[in-house]
Amino acid sequence: MCLLAFFFFSGRIRLPDDNFQIQLLHYYWLPVITVMAGAYLIAQGFFSVYSMCVDSLFLCFLEDLERNEGTMLRPYYMSGSLWRILNKS
């Protein structure tokens, strides 16, 4: 995103619409830094949600191991693929 913003604000990338006129900036680093900060915040928010989901799945796996025995009366509720990923027997 930073490279695209740099090339756009420095005038090296043009939009296909001929009616749109971009003014060349003398100091185009400020919009590039703003785009960089915005892209970082969006990516950080996305990955923090993803990290929370992975942590929740792992905690549910640990709770399932602690509360259940894998017998007919108290079976495990985790999926078989998760069981194979963690090499449990």
Side-chain angles (χ1 to χ4, degrees):
M1 290 306 300
C2 294
L3 285 174
L4 287 175
F6 171 75
F7 288 134
F8 179 75
F9 288 117
S10 65
R12 296 180 184 161
I13 291 180
R14 301 273 185 213
L15 293 177
D17 185 15
D18 291 335
N19 295 332
F20 183 76
Q21 296 291 328
I22 186 170
Q23 293 181 353
L24 291 178
L25 301 173
H26 295 290
Y27 186 73
Y28 46 82
W29 285 105
L30 184 63
V32 171
I33 291 172
T34 305
V35 167
M36 181 175 56
Y40 175 78
L41 290 175
I42 290 170
Q44 184 69 27
F46 174 78
F47 284 119
S48 68
V49 170
Y50 181 75
S51 174
M52 186 185 311
C53 292
V54 171
D55 290 342
S56 297
L57 284 173
F58 186 65
L59 286 173
C60 289
F61 170 76
L62 292 176
E63 277 294 317
D64 193 20
L65 282 179
E66 185 176 305
R67 292 184 183 199
N68 300 317
E69 298 170 346
T71 62
M72 291 297 284
L73 295 175
R74 294 173 57 189
Y76 291 126
Y77 292 107
M78 69 189 80
S79 66
S81 60
L82 180 62
W83 190 255
R84 283 188 301 275
I85 287 172
L86 297 172
N87 292 324
K88 291 291 182 184
S89 59

